[in-house]
């Protein structure tokens, strides 16, 4: 039974930092793609960042956010710096259970098989 449990969300001021963490259980994701998506009220869920052996970022967060992982702990983190009000959203951790990733692009939600419950990030101005 695979579970992704997120932590680290909260309220921060614009320009501040926050670190999200996602702990996976039920199987190892050490060699599988994991990522972060976010969804603001009234908007579609959008890709934020992902990592397998290399990291990829949405243009809106590149240079401000850093995704990292600890294979030994089966976790993936998202360090968010220079936060902006437009970063306010529910952030979801996601993981792929497929070795072959060629069916979907990394920024597509279809590339991920498991999802966390979501954690709220609010950036005040």
């Amino acid at each position: 039974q695979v579970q992704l449990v997120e932590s680290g969300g909260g309220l921060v001021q614009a320009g501040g930092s926050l670190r999200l963490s996602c702990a996976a259980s039920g199987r190892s994701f050490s060699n599988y793609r994991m990522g972060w998506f976010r969804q603001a009220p009234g908007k579609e869920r959008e890709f934020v960042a992902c990592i397998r052996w290399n990291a990829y970022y949405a243009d809106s967060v590149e240079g401000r956010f850093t995704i990292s992982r600890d294979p030994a702990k089966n976790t993936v983190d998202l360090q968010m710096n220079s936060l902006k009000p437009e970063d306010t959203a529910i952030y979801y951790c996601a993981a792929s259970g497929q070795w072959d990733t060629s069916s979907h692009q990394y920024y597509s939600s279809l590339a991920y098989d498991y999802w966390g419950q979501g954690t709220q990030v609010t950036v005040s101005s």
Side-chain angles (χ1 to χ4, degrees):
Q1 187 174 4
V2 173
Q3 286 186 300
L4 303 179
V5 181
E6 299 148 318
S7 61
L11 173 64
V12 297
Q13 293 183 322
S17 298
L18 201 62
R19 188 177 184 91
L20 306 182
S21 183
C22 174
S25 62
R27 60 156 291 173
S28 174
F29 291 97
S30 61
N31 287 305
Y32 293 82
R33 176 189 292 158
M34 298 187 72
W36 292 91
F37 288 73
R38 67 186 183 186
Q39 186 169 26
K43 296 185 178 180
E44 297 296 318
R45 185 173 299 185
E46 67 173 350
F47 168 79
V48 177
C50 70
I51 187 170
R52 188 173 188 177
W53 301 292
N54 302 115
Y56 300 90
Y57 300 91
D59 290 344
S60 59
V61 307
E62 190 160 16
R64 300 187 297 120
F65 291 10
T66 302
I67 189 170
S68 61
R69 70 189 309 165
D70 187 338
K73 295 181 178 180
N74 215 23
T75 60
V76 61
D77 290 358
L78 185 69
Q79 177 66 47
M80 304 185 293
N81 298 326
S82 301
L83 284 162
K84 305 174 181 179
E86 51 262 46
D87 294 318
T88 296
I90 300 175
Y91 283 70
Y92 298 90
C93 177
S96 172
Q98 305 168 31
W99 181 261
D100 185 357
T101 63
S102 62
S103 295
H104 305 286
Q105 296 296 103
Y106 62 84
Y107 50 78
S108 171
S109 62
L110 298 176
Y112 304 88
D113 301 292
Y114 309 102
W115 295 83
Q117 77 286 351
T119 186
Q120 178 70 48
V121 172
T122 303
V123 183
S124 63
S125 60

